[in-house]
Amino acid sequence: WPLLGLALAGLPTFYVNSVTSKDFPLTLALLLGSYLLARSGRAVWAAVMFGCVVGSRPVAVIHGLPVALVLVAAMPKPLRLLAFLQFFVGSAAVAAAIYVPIFLKLGPDNLREPYRLAELSASLVLHRGTILVWGVLGLIALGVMVLGACWRRGPRAVGAAASPAERWAWFISAVFGIGFYVWLPSEPGYCIPALPFLLLLATQWTSRFALQIGCVLMMGAAFLGQDFRSPGALIVDRRERQAELLKVRGFTAFCATLPKPGVIICGSWEPIISVLDLASGGQRYTFLLAPDEIAQLIKTRTPIYYTPEMRAFEFRVHNIDLVAIGATDVRALYLKGQQP
């Protein structure tokens, strides 16, 4: 079992998301905790934990079905209906306690996903869901486990087989995780909820030796690149974040020199600027602008600045062309200032 935990931690997308502020590993930890409590028949505590799962990531509510399946199977028949009701009501109550204050303060629009993805090629979706999730070593490890299941000569990976309810629950959670990624393939991290359940399913069919070899390979997957010589996803991610930080600092330094203070649409750089307190020159940075915000800024004649990437993003999300409303391209201003 410790090898399985280390194997999961070593997978590229899990490792990378564990050293950033993403909520994928947190959601998964809470989900596994809910599974564990359900397995021991502790309906109320499983409900509390699962309510926190939904509070961490709303779409994770779909995993309530397999968790409830494990809980009901763990209870004596006369108590199954009561346990299910306790789980359902308790989870809903905890999730409501988390979301109602947000709903009252910000309204219902903040409880939905407002962004439409640009069309992604099938090859890119496949690359993100395989190489970026598992790494080359991880995919080799999966192959070893499959071979160990097809030609098992020794004992299975674990001594006692899981109950049918648990197997079905693991399978359903794995399918939900993969299915959500296929539906919204914007980040490899959306595959994370499927990873531990695929490993758990492997323990039921592959041999112990194959599982051990596979786990050891997965532990190094984040450090080794596709050609076995280039740096792995974790090292590349660190370099990219360091380079991005230099760009953000240069961007904010230039924006501080703009002639008029205004609102600068900067997308995913906004949290970085906010956390590092890089705003200066009276400028306000924002992820995107909603139509009512834009109308208010136009009314008060507050300058709006953007980058070309954010112009496309704003149009895709809110169907607003920033050029048409008189916003200013920051990059054009910068390039103009660089001319001799």
Side-chain angles (χ1 to χ4, degrees), residues 125-179:
V125 173
L126 182 63
H127 176 75
R128 286 180 175 178
T130 53
I131 297 296
L132 296 189
V133 172
W134 297 92
V136 175
L137 277 181
L139 293 176
I140 294 174
L142 287 178
V144 170
M145 292 180 183
V146 170
L147 290 175
C150 294
W151 289 281
R152 194 178 78 205
R153 295 294 179 265
R156 71 170 74 237
V158 293
S163 67
E166 284 185 301
R167 289 187 182 185
W168 275 110
W170 297 343
F171 176 76
I172 293 170
S173 278
V175 169
F176 281 165
I178 296 172

Side-chain angles (χ1 to χ4, degrees), residues 6-305:
L6 291 171
L8 175 64
L11 292 176
T13 190
F14 190 91
Y15 206 142
V16 167
N17 281 278
S18 295
V19 296
T20 65
S21 59
K22 294 293 180 68
D23 57 5
F24 304 127
L26 170 63
T27 304
L28 181 59
L30 294 168
L31 177 60
L32 292 175
S34 183
Y35 258 104
L36 186 61
L37 292 165
R39 191 175 190 268
S40 60
R42 302 169 69 180
V44 174
W45 285 110
V48 171
M49 188 71 77
F50 191 76
C52 294
V53 171
V54 179
S56 174
R57 180 158 282 266
V59 72
V61 69
I62 60 177
H63 292 278
L65 173 63
V67 175
L69 177 64
V70 171
L71 174 65
V72 169
M75 302 297 291
K77 285 187 177 180
L79 299 178
R80 286 179 176 176
L81 179 59
L82 175 62
F84 177 79
L85 292 175
Q86 287 177 326
F87 179 76
F88 178 79
V89 174
S91 299
V94 173
I98 294 172
Y99 283 110
V100 165
I102 302 173
F103 177 85
L104 294 176
K105 182 176 180 179
L106 302 177
D109 288 345
N110 288 274
L111 299 181
R112 65 182 179 86
E113 175 59 70
Y115 308 123
R116 301 191 301 273
L117 286 176
E119 286 196 21
L120 302 176
S121 65
S123 60
L124 178 59
V125 173
L126 182 63
H127 176 75
R128 286 180 175 178
T130 53
I131 297 296
L132 296 189
V133 172
W134 297 92
V136 175
L137 277 181
L139 293 176
I140 294 174
L142 287 178
V144 170
M145 292 180 183
V146 170
L147 290 175
C150 294
W151 289 281
R152 194 178 78 205
R153 295 294 179 265
R156 71 170 74 237
V158 293
S163 67
E166 284 185 301
R167 289 187 182 185
W168 275 110
W170 297 343
F171 176 76
I172 293 170
S173 278
V175 169
F176 281 165
I178 296 172
F180 182 72
Y181 167 73
V182 172
W183 176 57
L184 193 68
S186 60
E187 288 218 27
Y190 289 152
C191 287
I192 285 178
L195 301 181
F197 301 106
L198 292 173
L199 293 177
L200 286 170
L201 287 170
T203 67
Q204 300 300 296
W205 286 290
T206 194
S207 68
R208 181 174 299 176
F209 180 71
L211 186 79
Q212 290 171 339
I213 294 298
C215 286
V216 171
L217 290 174
M218 287 182 184
M219 287 164 57
F223 297 92
L224 199 60
Q226 297 182 35
D227 58 2
F228 296 100
R229 290 179 296 176
S230 58
L234 183 67
I235 300 170
V236 171
D237 177 76
R238 180 173 183 270
R239 291 176 180 175
E240 288 177 349
R241 285 189 285 120
Q242 288 177 324
E244 184 179 36
L245 184 56
L246 289 175
K247 292 180 182 178
V248 173
R249 292 187 182 277
F251 176 74
T252 54
F254 172 75
C255 290
T257 68
L258 293 173
K260 286 186 178 181
V263 177
I264 302 172
I265 304 173
C266 57
S268 60
W269 282 4
E270 187 276 330
I272 301 173
I273 295 169
S274 175
V275 168
L276 298 180
D277 195 22
L278 297 176
S280 60
Q283 307 293 356
R284 179 167 73 89
Y285 296 87
T286 183
F287 185 80
L288 279 180
L289 285 175
D292 56 337
E293 294 176 303
I294 291 176
Q296 182 62 29
L297 293 172
I298 293 174
K299 183 178 179 180
T300 58
R301 298 185 178 181
T302 303
I304 300 174
Y305 301 97

